[in-house]
Amino acid sequence: MNLQYFLQQLVNGICLGGMYALMSVGYSLVYSIMNFSNFAHGGVIMVGAYVGYFALTALHVPFLPAFLLCGLGSGLLAILIERLVYSPLRKRHAPSLYFIISAMGASIFLENFVIATIDGTPRNYPTLFANSISLGGLSLGVDSVLMIIVSAISLLVLMFIIQKTKIGLAIRACSYNEKAGTLMGINSSLVIFVVFLMGGILAGFAGMLYGMRFIVKPTIGQVTNKSFVAAVFGGLGSLPGAIVGSLLLGVMEIFVASFNSNLRDLFVYALLILVLVIKPSGLMGKVVEDKA
Amino acid sequence: MSMLEIRDLNVYYGGIHALKGISLDVEEGQIVSMIGSNGAGKSSMMNAISGIVKYQSGDILYRGEKLPTMANKIVKQGICQVPEGRLIFANLTTYENLYLGAYLRKDKDGIERDLKRVYEIFPRLEERKHQIAGTLSGGEQQMLAMGRGIMSAPDLIMLDEPSLGLAPLLVNTIFETILEIKAMGKTILLVEQNALKALSVADNAYVLEQGRITKSGPGRDLLKDPKIAEAYLGKAAH
């Protein structure tokens, strides 16, 4: 393996990892507040990919407005799912298992809703950026560079909101103890709303990047389960963990694939099992406690 | 008119009748203590006032008006609870914890003033303001929980078992602070298992047993009550 090839694959890995990060922070945010894995997130990402596809092919808008539309569409969808599915469960103080099952149901519903209303055929995004940049013998696609940049900016904005704003502080407080947060006057419904909105927007962004890179079809939500693996690897509930876990997973996955592409998914899910067996709290996750 | 009036309050958890029609009054500027053993319903009462627990019947009146049921609106009205077990945010710094106490406040100057006040009462908190709260000692965490309560600028501050699990010396400090908070002009509803201390500082006190109020009166009168002495103060009745 020469250096150039190594760097090329590294860039591909970061590209993939950045996309995983946009997805996995959504899993982590929801988990940190509500203590369940929101498997409907894959469906939200998938719908984002479709919004991007139709924005580009039917509305003929350029990349940036299409990208923002994806965020808007997925953000709204995430809130809608919270209001229709999780909010009634929350009011009944239902156990986490009910949330997980409902989330899976919502995910399968979304998949089939798209199959029924659009169709199930895979679609390709129009080529947006065919050019590539030469950098010291390294040829980088403009789309790859763009993916890394928009992922980085989106994640930095998210981290800023969580670390530096008042609503971010409220989210961190409620993620530690919702009851105590409520006693401070924090409106936990608002916190949950913001968490789903932010997770949804980033899911939409990720959906569009996924569509640009790969293909759009109703079942890509399942592929995005790998970002859930990344969130577990980094430590569910920890945002920095989700980001670090995603980048590492993306890079490792690409290198495994460059060795033998058949091993790609095997590696990812073997990692999931290994983490759960050896260190369930992941690289930097909170210790799992079942909130009563 | 009392500041806080509770009338015939009933709380059920599923089939368990936790509060069986309790009534009590808290006058402005007073310390009102409620003593009772574990499971008597003390925390249920506090949580019903705070909007954390739903009550099935009865009234909670604050300054003559029905209290809202949403927890965040109750804080806005000037009622804050310093919960049992402190429930500090162990993942955040001391300062962030205190700042969260003032979450609903918009008066920046007032917040700064109260922060200084809290640091005066608990100098230890100022020394550790950038420290992650989870690394504070139990006593410091209790101080933080009380400081966080003060930061919400409450008119009525409800303290749930503030001395629980603390060394005797620290218990004294906590009770001195309770008197200091009273001197700030705040009204205090205090729930305690340490009956001797709680009755000593109380203007008025209630005894809660198995979800019912069985006795009430001025704190010093209850201190002299032989039955209370036997049940809660660890003295034999003569």
Side-chain angles (χ1 to χ4, degrees), chain A residues 64-174:
Chain A
L64 195 62
F67 186 69
L68 296 177
L69 272 177
C70 289
L72 184 70
S74 288
L76 291 178
L77 179 62
I79 291 167
L80 190 70
I81 293 172
E82 199 287 314
R83 279 294 122 104
L84 291 179
V85 183
Y86 305 138
S87 178
L89 293 173
R90 266 196 295 131
K91 292 202 176 102
R92 287 210 317 261
H93 303 285
S96 291
L97 187 64
Y98 287 44
F99 284 85
I100 297 173
I101 293 170
S102 306
M104 289 173 167
S107 171
I108 296 168
F109 171 87
L110 286 174
E111 235 177 83
N112 286 284
F113 185 78
V114 170
I115 293 173
T117 52
I118 304 169
D119 57 35
T121 50
R123 290 152 190 268
N124 280 307
Y125 267 46
T127 306
L128 291 172
F129 308 96
N131 303 347
S132 52
I133 315 167
S134 278
L135 205 83
L138 208 63
S139 160
L140 301 176
V142 172
D143 60 338
S144 302
V145 176
L146 194 73
M147 278 174 82
I148 292 173
I149 291 172
V150 291
S151 302
I153 292 174
S154 309
L155 293 169
L156 283 173
V157 169
L158 176 72
M159 291 305 283
F160 177 83
I161 292 173
I162 297 291
Q163 293 298 330
K164 299 288 177 199
T165 67
K166 196 169 174 179
I167 186 71
L169 184 61
I171 289 170
R172 284 185 289 146
C174 285

Side-chain angles (χ1 to χ4, degrees), chain B residues 147-216:
Chain B
R148 192 178 63 175
I150 294 169
M151 288 302 291
S152 75
D155 296 321
L156 172 64
I157 182 163
M158 303 192 292
L159 305 169
D160 195 351
E161 305 274 9
S163 76
L164 194 72
L166 296 185
L169 214 59
L170 273 168
V171 173
N172 290 338
T173 313
I174 293 299
F175 275 90
E176 279 160 24
T177 311
I178 291 172
L179 291 171
E180 235 174 298
I181 295 172
K182 183 189 182 188
M184 288 165 77
K186 313 237 179 251
T187 307
I188 297 166
L189 178 56
L190 172 67
V191 155
E192 260 291 342
Q193 286 198 59
N194 188 334
L196 177 63
K197 290 270 181 197
L199 293 178
S200 308
V201 296
D203 295 291
N204 250 312
Y206 293 84
V207 180
L208 190 66
E209 283 172 341
Q210 294 174 357
R212 282 197 181 85
I213 286 176
T214 53
K215 259 197 178 76
S216 65

Side-chain angles (χ1 to χ4, degrees), chain A residues 163 166-167 169-170 172-187 189-191, chain B residues 47 50 52 70-72 75 81 83 87-92 96 99-105 148:
Chain A
Q163 293 298 330
K166 196 169 174 179
I167 186 71
L169 184 61
R172 284 185 289 146
C174 285
S175 80
Y176 187 77
N177 191 319
E178 190 185 332
K179 181 189 168 194
T182 307
L183 287 176
M184 300 300 107
I186 296 171
N187 181 349
S189 297
L190 177 73
V191 165
Chain B
N47 286 335
S50 282
I52 301 283
M70 288 267 288
N72 54 321
V75 179
Q81 185 193 145
L87 303 192
I88 57 148
F89 302 106
N91 58 332
L92 306 177
E96 285 173 325
Y99 182 72
L100 274 164
Y103 183 75
L104 290 177
R105 293 174 68 182
R148 192 178 63 175

Side-chain angles (χ1 to χ4, degrees), chain B:
Chain B
M1 182 182 72
S2 306
M3 186 185 208
L4 182 76
E5 295 172 54
I6 296 182
R7 294 285 168 263
D8 201 25
L9 188 71
N10 282 285
V11 170
Y12 296 83
Y13 299 117
I16 299 163
H17 198 173
L19 290 180
K20 299 165 183 160
I22 67 163
S23 298
L24 68 89
D25 291 83
V26 178
E27 303 293 336
E28 184 136 26
Q30 287 196 339
I31 296 180
V32 172
S33 292
M34 172 164 282
I35 60 170
S37 56
N38 255 342
K42 305 189 299 296
S43 295
S44 297
M45 182 199 68
M46 288 242 174
N47 286 335
I49 300 171
S50 282
I52 301 283
V53 159
K54 297 250 170 295
Y55 53 93
Q56 278 68 29
S57 68
D59 287 307
I60 302 177
L61 303 174
Y62 182 62
R63 300 191 190 281
E65 288 188 34
K66 209 166 160 34
L67 202 62
T69 49
M70 288 267 288
N72 54 321
K73 290 194 178 139
I74 294 166
V75 179
K76 189 122 203 163
Q77 299 247 323
I79 300 179
C80 105
Q81 185 193 145
V82 178
E84 181 183 350
R86 302 150 199 149
L87 303 192
I88 57 148
F89 302 106
N91 58 332
L92 306 177
T93 65
T94 300
Y95 170 77
E96 285 173 325
N97 269 272
L98 291 172
Y99 182 72
L100 274 164
Y103 183 75
L104 290 177
R105 293 174 68 182
K106 305 259 186 281
D107 55 324
K108 283 213 164 100
D109 298 344
I111 295 174
E112 274 306 308
R113 205 171 45 242
D114 282 341
L115 188 63
K116 278 206 185 103
R117 194 81 171 270
V118 169
Y119 287 153
E120 272 167 35
I121 303 174
F122 305 113
R124 201 79 75 79
L125 295 183
E126 185 166 23
E127 288 163 28
R128 288 161 197 236
K129 58 183 167 187
H130 298 305
Q131 198 169 319
I132 295 293
T135 63
L136 299 178
S137 72
E140 287 163 351
Q141 290 190 4
Q142 185 59 48
M143 292 172 191
L144 178 56
M146 290 171 80
R148 192 178 63 175
I150 294 169
M151 288 302 291
S152 75
D155 296 321
L156 172 64
I157 182 163
M158 303 192 292
L159 305 169
D160 195 351
E161 305 274 9
S163 76
L164 194 72
L166 296 185
L169 214 59
L170 273 168
V171 173
N172 290 338
T173 313
I174 293 299
F175 275 90
E176 279 160 24
T177 311
I178 291 172
L179 291 171
E180 235 174 298
I181 295 172
K182 183 189 182 188
M184 288 165 77
K186 313 237 179 251
T187 307
I188 297 166
L189 178 56
L190 172 67
V191 155
E192 260 291 342
Q193 286 198 59
N194 188 334
L196 177 63
K197 290 270 181 197
L199 293 178
S200 308
V201 296
D203 295 291
N204 250 312
Y206 293 84
V207 180
L208 190 66
E209 283 172 341
Q210 294 174 357
R212 282 197 181 85
I213 286 176
T214 53
K215 259 197 178 76
S216 65
R220 71 187 98 75
D221 290 3
L222 294 192
L223 267 179
K224 289 182 205 139
D225 189 303
K227 280 214 170 114
I228 289 178
E230 187 181 13
Y232 297 102
L233 304 176
K235 293 175 196 161
H238 297 292

